[in-house]
Amino acid sequence: MEMIIVSTGGRKNNDGEMNLTNNRQQIIDRTLKLYVAALSDAADEIGLNTVCMDRGIVPLTKKKRMAGFARTGKLVRSPPNRPYDEKQLDVFMSLGTEAVDGDLLVIDTAGATDCSAWGQVLTRIGKPLGVRGAIIEGTSRDIDDIDKMDFVVFARGRHPGTMRGRYDMESVQKPIVCGGVTINPGDLIFADGDGVVVIPPEHIEAVLKHAEGVVETDEWWANKLDEGKDPHDLHKERPIP
Amino acid sequence: MEMIIVSTGGRKNNDGEMNLTNNRQQIIDRTLKLYVAALSDAADEIGLNTVCMDRGIVPLTKKKRMAGFARTGKLVRSPPNRPYDEKQLDVFMSLGTEAVDGDLLVIDTAGATDCSAWGQVLTRIGKPLGVRGAIIEGTSRDIDDIDKMDFVVFARGRHPGTMRGRYDMESVQKPIVCGGVTINPGDLIFADGDGVVVIPPEHIEAVLKHAEGVVETDEWWANKLDEGKDPHDLHKERPIP
Amino acid sequence: MEMIIVSTGGRKNNDGEMNLTNNRQQIIDRTLKLYVAALSDAADEIGLNTVCMDRGIVPLTKKKRMAGFARTGKLVRSPPNRPYDEKQLDVFMSLGTEAVDGDLLVIDTAGATDCSAWGQVLTRIGKPLGVRGAIIEGTSRDIDDIDKMDFVVFARGRHPGTMRGRYDMESVQKPIVCGGVTINPGDLIFADGDGVVVIPPEHIEAVLKHAEGVVETDEWWANKLDEGKDPHDLHKERPIP
């Protein structure tokens, strides 16, 4: 399965397109030269469905741009009145400890916002392994510390509470939903201040090519407007980006 | 009609009050010496109804203060499963291309937040014509680029998606609703970090005069408090601002 | 009653624990060496119920860290179509004028967000008396001015409208609810960018002791991770903080 090939990062197959998606750093570098809205427009052009997370998923950290490949986790509510199983946290930590260079963690928390699913310890674990950032369908804490580590976190806000006793780990590296978008392990994730875009591996090459065209059209428009050209005329020549 | 006189910016009539509202730059300069809460208090004093947009309309750009006269647009959802009519975008662009110095664009998007109704191209078109900012009942994108142009955008948040295929243009320069306030073309709009206030043309002179009094009372209170006067005594002399 | 002892700030009794909670500046200094998430974890460890305000209560000011003892006020909607009773504002102002050093004002506004319950005048009144900040279950205004005074305000957002004619004062120094947490006068309040924690006086000493242990465990983990130790092994030795 493609998702496994991408998430392990190094393996090759005989399909050129697939080789490209496996070349993770190259894709990340190419993506980071663009901006999220250009990838969103490109995804529209090639007819993909919802690729943008909703506006409630916002950057919490000072650093706001990140690109990487989805490594996913799903949390669910802990049952009440039961001693907390500390072994849960070993599985949760494996989100970070088994990550590889170029991964970007995305955590689905079933919408709870009474505690945090990301903090400074996971950042300390994941960052040295090459984790590019974290996106939480819920809340995060320790952001001041995380800023000192120059890491990127997007979430629905901040909350000081621990997840211990409030969340159980349901799955690692299974499909999840975050910000209204379905995310499979290995999807390309790209975030900047405008939001977050999610591109399935089989569309990465096409989306990047189109997005590079979008950026070129933006520049063409900017230059023509600076020259004083009429926007309605420009729109006839090349539709407004 | 007053709204037309104001929106064209230059015409005169024989009514002194109206001459004043037509003197757009003078009103803008006078407004920018005040702050939004003072205009809100003044509007209360002269008995106007809701003039403040709700707290969900927030500044997205680094620059947060703007004053200008409403130039309005209304977007509605595009019908599904229909090829997008690119001519729509000519009408949308006319929001910017037909703007005059001192306009401030306000766009009603029927509450949708799955795509953006303001971006860098409209900013590039409108700013050289003297557009003072944009307020969106919805979301905006390209804020990093817009910041470079030193422009002001208020909205309900950011979203990377294009409006193409998601919004149709319903009207330009008709009454709209944004942030819970009804806005007519030509209304004075004033925004700072505290929020956005909307003043109909026929009340601008009275509101500005009262607001100048509010600011004077603020300063009187600040000075008296610095002198160590008792706030309850001050309140008897001049009610708390 | 403990709440009265704490809120008056200076009185002593024969209970060592209580003496400590009365030593307000000492508790505040000790608290400000920690961070909110550590107090939240400590409150969990000793079995307290909800101590964290929800994620909607956010810092509005540049300065975001504050600790102090709750001085509470409750506002309710003004009845419509009735001349406003200006004497209400004398009671409202007493929130500030009767505050003592180390107080932190918390105002319950019954959820209304169409006007502000905190502004520059109350800041000017309370700050010289030693008020450490304000938390509003609602909105605040004049934040640019308040920033100049180096004061801290947390709320659900900003709104330019005055409370005059929109809020009546229901009570001062009675139990209230803010951010989903019940707050009694004299509760220790501690806020930073991660959120707000509320600790009843009888638990302050235990929570601070545990929180100091949490911070120590954080540092132990940070050092061990820097040494390259396996997080799963560390978790066996000392559970993940």
Side-chain angles (χ1 to χ4, degrees), chain A residues 197-212:
Chain A
V197 73
V198 181
I199 309 296
E202 64 272 27
H203 299 297
I204 290 172
E205 180 56 28
V207 167
L208 287 181
K209 262 185 202 153
H210 273 80
E212 285 154 357

Side-chain angles (χ1 to χ4, degrees), chain A residues 43-95:
Chain A
D44 280 2
E45 282 180 36
I46 68 168
L48 298 187
N49 274 329
T50 311
V51 297
C52 297
M53 291 193 190
D54 69 62
R55 72 181 162 132
I57 303 288
V58 295
L60 304 183
T61 45
K62 286 176 186 162
K63 189 175 170 188
K64 299 177 199 315
R65 278 173 65 85
M66 60 176 167
F69 294 89
R71 175 167 169 78
T72 63
K74 185 162 171 52
L75 299 166
V76 291
R77 301 302 299 194
S78 299
N81 306 318
R82 200 204 55 183
Y84 192 63
D85 175 10
E86 291 284 334
K87 283 179 196 161
Q88 295 263 352
L89 293 172
D90 269 310
V91 186
F92 180 69
M93 273 193 293
S94 75
L95 270 174

Side-chain angles (χ1 to χ4, degrees), chain C residues 72-195:
Chain C
T72 63
K74 184 161 171 54
L75 299 166
V76 290
R77 300 303 300 194
S78 299
N81 307 317
R82 199 203 57 181
Y84 193 62
D85 174 11
E86 291 284 334
K87 284 178 195 162
Q88 295 263 354
L89 292 172
D90 269 309
V91 187
F92 180 69
M93 272 192 293
S94 75
L95 270 174
T97 56
E98 296 176 19
V100 297
D101 193 16
D103 280 353
L104 193 158
L105 302 196
V106 191
I107 302 178
D108 181 348
T109 65
T113 55
D114 64 341
C115 64
S116 276
W118 190 267
Q120 50 95 4
V121 180
L122 260 285
T123 303
R124 262 178 224 290
I125 292 169
K127 190 168 190 288
L129 300 173
V131 174
R132 304 308 170 98
I135 305 178
I136 314 301
E137 176 55 77
T139 52
S140 175
R141 68 181 198 177
D142 303 332
I143 298 298
D144 298 343
D145 268 342
I146 292 171
D147 269 332
K148 285 176 198 150
M149 291 183 253
D150 200 32
F151 192 75
V152 189
V153 178
F154 277 58
R156 293 203 183 274
R158 296 170 70 166
H159 193 287
T162 177
M163 57 180 279
R164 182 181 265 110
R166 297 193 179 89
Y167 282 137
D168 280 5
M169 197 77 210
E170 185 175 275
S171 68
V172 173
Q173 289 291 74
K174 302 278 183 190
I176 59 164
V177 175
C178 181
V181 183
T182 299
I183 292 149
N184 287 288
D187 284 350
L188 175 66
I189 309 280
F190 181 27
D192 63 18
D194 276 347

Side-chain angles (χ1 to χ4, degrees), chain A residues 129-145:
Chain A
L129 300 173
V131 174
R132 305 307 170 100
I135 305 178
I136 314 301
E137 175 55 77
T139 52
S140 175
R141 68 181 199 177
D142 304 331
I143 297 298
D144 298 344
D145 268 342

Side-chain angles (χ1 to χ4, degrees), chain B:
Chain B
M1 275 167 69
E2 173 57 21
M3 78 169 74
I4 290 168
I5 292 170
V6 169
S7 66
T8 53
R11 273 184 269 165
K12 302 268 181 186
N13 64 20
N14 295 322
D15 179 336
E17 190 80 358
M18 290 299 111
N19 275 340
L20 184 68
T21 62
N22 284 333
N23 194 338
R24 292 155 60 104
Q25 188 57 53
Q26 204 171 56
I27 293 172
I28 290 171
D29 289 344
R30 202 169 148 200
T31 302
L32 284 171
K33 284 183 189 132
L34 303 167
Y35 53 92
V36 167
L39 265 71
S40 167
D41 288 358
D44 280 1
E45 282 180 34
I46 67 169
L48 298 186
N49 274 328
T50 311
V51 297
C52 296
M53 292 192 190
D54 69 62
R55 71 180 161 132
I57 303 288
V58 296
L60 304 183
T61 45
K62 287 176 186 163
K63 189 174 171 188
K64 298 177 200 317
R65 278 172 65 86
M66 59 176 169
F69 294 88
R71 175 168 168 79
T72 63
K74 185 162 171 50
L75 299 166
V76 291
R77 300 302 301 195
S78 298
N81 307 318
R82 199 204 55 182
Y84 192 64
D85 174 10
E86 292 284 334
K87 283 178 194 163
Q88 295 262 354
L89 292 172
D90 269 310
V91 186
F92 179 70
M93 273 192 293
S94 75
L95 270 174
T97 55
E98 296 176 18
V100 297
D101 192 16
D103 281 352
L104 193 159
L105 302 196
V106 191
I107 302 177
D108 181 348
T109 65
T113 56
D114 65 341
C115 65
S116 278
W118 190 268
Q120 50 96 4
V121 180
L122 259 285
T123 302
R124 262 177 223 291
I125 291 169
K127 190 168 191 285
L129 299 173
V131 174
R132 304 307 170 99
I135 304 177
I136 314 301
E137 176 56 75
T139 52
S140 175
R141 69 181 198 179
D142 303 332
I143 298 298
D144 298 343
D145 267 343
I146 292 170
D147 269 331
K148 285 177 199 150
M149 291 184 253
D150 200 32
F151 192 76
V152 189
V153 178
F154 277 56
R156 295 205 182 273
R158 296 170 70 166
H159 192 288
T162 177
M163 57 181 279
R164 181 181 264 114
R166 296 193 180 90
Y167 282 137
D168 279 6
M169 197 78 210
E170 185 175 276
S171 68
V172 172
Q173 288 290 73
K174 301 278 182 188
I176 60 166
V177 175
C178 181
V181 183
T182 299
I183 293 148
N184 287 288
D187 284 350
L188 174 66
I189 309 279
F190 180 27
D192 64 18
D194 277 347
V196 184
V197 73
V198 181
I199 309 295
E202 63 272 26
H203 298 296
I204 290 173
E205 180 56 29
V207 167
L208 287 181
K209 263 184 201 154
H210 272 80
E212 285 153 357
V214 169
V215 170
E216 206 270 320
T217 299
D218 280 338
E219 286 163 4
W220 182 87
W221 264 77
N223 291 334
K224 295 292 180 188
L225 288 174
D226 285 349
E227 291 168 18
K229 294 285 162 57
D230 184 294
H232 301 277
D233 293 338
L234 298 178
H235 183 53
K236 280 180 205 106
E237 202 172 334
R238 279 204 202 187
I240 183 174

